[in-house]
Amino acid sequence: MERVFVSGVGAVSPIGIDCDSIYENLTHNRYLFKPEKRAIKNHGYGKLSSQVSDDDKETIRQHIFQKGNEGTSLPQATQYSIYATKMALEDAGINVAEIEDLRIAIILGNNESESEVFDTYLATKDETFPFYASYKIPEAIAKFYGLKNVRNLCIHNTCASSNLAMEIGLNLLRTDQCELAIVGGTDCFSQKVHAGFDSLFSISKQGSKPFSEGRDGITIGEGSSVLILERESFAAKRGFTTPYCEVVAVSSSNDAKSLTAPDVDGILLAYKKVLREGNIAFGDIDYVMSHGTGTNLNDSVEATVINVLANGGRNPEVCSIKGIVGHMMAVAGSFASVIICMIFRKGIIPGSPQCLPKDKECAIDIITDTKVDMECNIWSNHSFGFGGNNSIALFRRVI
């Protein structure tokens, strides 16, 4: 089977809007959690959130506006995704004019459509608000860049959505239904989601501390992340020789055991599937990029899954980044994939001192201090969501 590469990445996040800055901030443990001042009444006012800075939002808006588009009328999540796509295409060395007639798939994970629009409506009851339909987001990307022969799809599988978007993009490439797949996710901060998690007593008062004995919930974030996927032969044809990594396999499951709680058996189903499809043993995995939300249930279930798969053998080291960027909802999986790509390229793995003191019940090897590893070969990326949505992606160094 022909290899599929990640050739470009782009991201918009609370810690930056270009991948080098994001990676620098992540590896130096610089985060931007702030008390939420716009919360729906009686739902989480003052609890921490993690959002894109106003300066970065303005940079994005100006880019879109300068391209001759109505930047001020595009909702926030769409603006984020357009900008992340720009960064990813440039990173892959792709001139849009040269690909406008190619078969392209644009597949994004999304949790709340254009939640900014809905939040505005709730506050004002103004029925003249613009579209509130998620399919408009990938459609806007295609329109913005003048792409003509495009398959657009928006995936709503809760917080596993962007990993599932990558799975679909990978399958379209392997069945020769497109030349390029633009995959990822986008979500802007949602007051409705913030209120929903607060009603479940799941919003942290102190900031997310995954796998720590002092953890008390998630910190809701926002942003967008995009990866350019292409087959090895197509990359060679256009003279591209520096991919980040190979996408080995992505597999999903939906156990539907609980509306909110993750399930060990459901996650194991996705894991066994991805290992089989990738022809990889769990012991071959060097590192795991955890879902690591900072809730008691998610972290304990995730640790159990890792230990069950290790079965007394070598346990891969576990990286956790949500204590720095927060939980970016549907974007979480693809953003973690972007960070894995950066690790392959630069060899520095972010540490998570927020995980200290470690919860002894989560008996896994969390990376709390930044470490260097220029030779890691295989990464696994976990992404779990409400309703039993589970998705696991495997990445391998290109040799």
Side-chain angles (χ1 to χ4, degrees):
M1 184 183 298
E2 186 175 4
R3 294 189 294 179
V4 172
F5 294 153
V6 179
S7 56
V9 295
V12 169
S13 82
I15 59 170
I17 58 173
D18 72 87
C19 289
D20 285 332
S21 295
I22 289 168
Y23 186 68
E24 174 77 7
N25 287 329
L26 194 60
T27 53
H28 286 82
N29 196 40
R30 299 175 187 141
Y31 53 93
L32 195 65
F33 294 174
K34 292 184 177 180
E36 180 52 47
K37 303 298 186 184
R38 299 176 301 148
I40 293 174
K41 187 177 180 180
N42 298 325
H43 276 297
Y45 181 88
K47 292 184 179 178
L48 300 180
S49 64
S50 183
Q51 299 183 40
V52 178
S53 72
D54 289 342
D55 286 347
D56 285 343
K57 287 178 181 178
E58 180 60 18
T59 297
I60 293 167
R61 195 197 71 80
Q62 286 295 331
H63 165 72
I64 295 171
F65 184 76
Q66 288 168 9
K67 295 279 285 187
N69 291 265
E70 297 177 358
T72 55
S73 68
L74 288 173
Q76 204 77 68
T78 299
Q79 291 188 35
Y80 290 169
S81 63
I82 288 173
Y83 196 82
T85 300
K86 164 192 178 293
M87 303 298 286
L89 289 169
E90 290 176 354
D91 191 36
I94 293 174
N95 183 333
V96 174
E98 296 172 356
I99 66 166
E100 60 185 10
D101 293 319
L102 293 179
R103 297 175 302 157
I104 297 172
I106 303 177
I107 308 170
L108 296 181
N110 174 262
N111 194 35
E112 284 297 307
S113 190
E114 291 289 1
S115 54
E116 167 203 23
V117 173
F118 186 66
D119 288 344
T120 300
Y121 171 70
L122 288 180
T124 65
K125 297 299 186 288
D126 180 2
E127 296 186 3
T128 64
F129 62 94
F131 55 80
Y132 183 64
S134 60
Y135 76 89
K136 286 283 188 178
I137 300 175
E139 181 184 87
I141 295 173
K143 182 179 179 181
F144 186 87
Y145 291 108
L147 303 175
K148 301 171 183 175
N149 190 7
V150 179
R151 289 186 175 192
N152 290 327
L153 185 61
C154 204
I155 304 295
H156 293 281
N157 273 53
T158 62
C159 299
S161 298
S162 57
N163 260 12
L164 183 57
M166 182 179 297
E167 179 179 3
I168 295 171
L170 179 64
N171 289 338
L172 288 175
L173 284 165
R174 284 182 167 160
T175 54
D176 193 26
Q177 296 186 63
C178 63
E179 274 76 52
L180 282 177
I182 299 171
V183 302
T186 192
D187 260 322
C188 68
F189 183 80
S190 167
Q191 294 172 40
K192 183 185 80 172
V193 169
H194 184 80
F197 275 98
D198 187 67
S199 70
L200 295 171
F201 305 103
S202 295
I203 300 288
S204 174
K205 296 177 182 178
Q206 58 185 341
S208 178
K209 297 179 181 294
F211 304 104
S212 166
E213 66 179 26
R215 67 190 186 274
D216 67 341
I218 71 172
T219 301
I220 292 181
E222 65 169 351
S224 181
S225 48
V226 167
L227 302 95
I228 307 298
L229 308 187
E230 58 184 308
R231 290 186 297 273
E232 183 175 12
S233 59
F234 184 79
K237 184 178 178 181
R238 68 182 186 89
F240 185 78
T241 59
T242 55
Y244 282 96
C245 58
E246 175 192 357
V247 186
V248 179
V250 189
S251 291
S252 305
S253 68
N254 184 286
D255 56 71
K257 291 280 184 69
S258 166
L259 179 62
T260 57
D263 178 73
V264 170
D265 291 336
I267 296 171
L268 286 172
L269 180 63
Y271 231 125
K272 291 173 182 178
K273 200 164 132 187
V274 80
L275 293 172
R276 183 172 64 250
E277 291 178 3
N279 194 27
I280 287 173
F282 185 74
D284 295 332
I285 296 171
D286 297 297
Y287 296 99
V288 167
M289 183 65 75
S290 68
H291 189 57
T293 62
T295 63
N296 285 319
L297 195 53
N298 174 91
D299 295 359
S300 61
V301 166
E302 188 166 16
T304 298
V305 166
I306 292 170
N307 284 309
V308 167
L309 289 165
N311 193 27
R314 187 185 72 84
N315 237 336
E317 292 182 79
V318 177
C319 181
S320 178
I321 62 175
K322 288 186 176 67
I324 301 172
V325 297
H327 190 344
M328 296 165 68
M329 299 289 104
V331 187
S334 57
F335 185 79
S337 297
V338 167
I339 300 308
I340 289 170
C341 288
M342 298 297 290
I343 293 169
F344 274 122
R345 180 69 54 87
K346 301 198 176 197
I348 302 174
I349 303 173
S352 298
Q354 292 86 357
C355 297
L356 296 171
K358 296 180 183 179
D359 183 353
K360 295 181 178 61
E361 298 299 317
C362 297
I364 52 178
D365 190 3
I366 304 293
I367 301 169
T368 55
D369 296 318
T370 299
K371 65 174 289 185
V372 176
D373 188 343
M374 299 296 295
E375 298 181 355
C376 59
N377 188 41
I378 297 175
W379 275 82
S380 173
N381 178 13
H382 297 179
S383 196
F384 315 135
F386 280 2
N389 288 295
N390 313 299
S391 186
I392 311 291
L394 296 176
F395 301 90
R396 179 163 49 206
R397 180 178 297 280
V398 176
I399 301 173

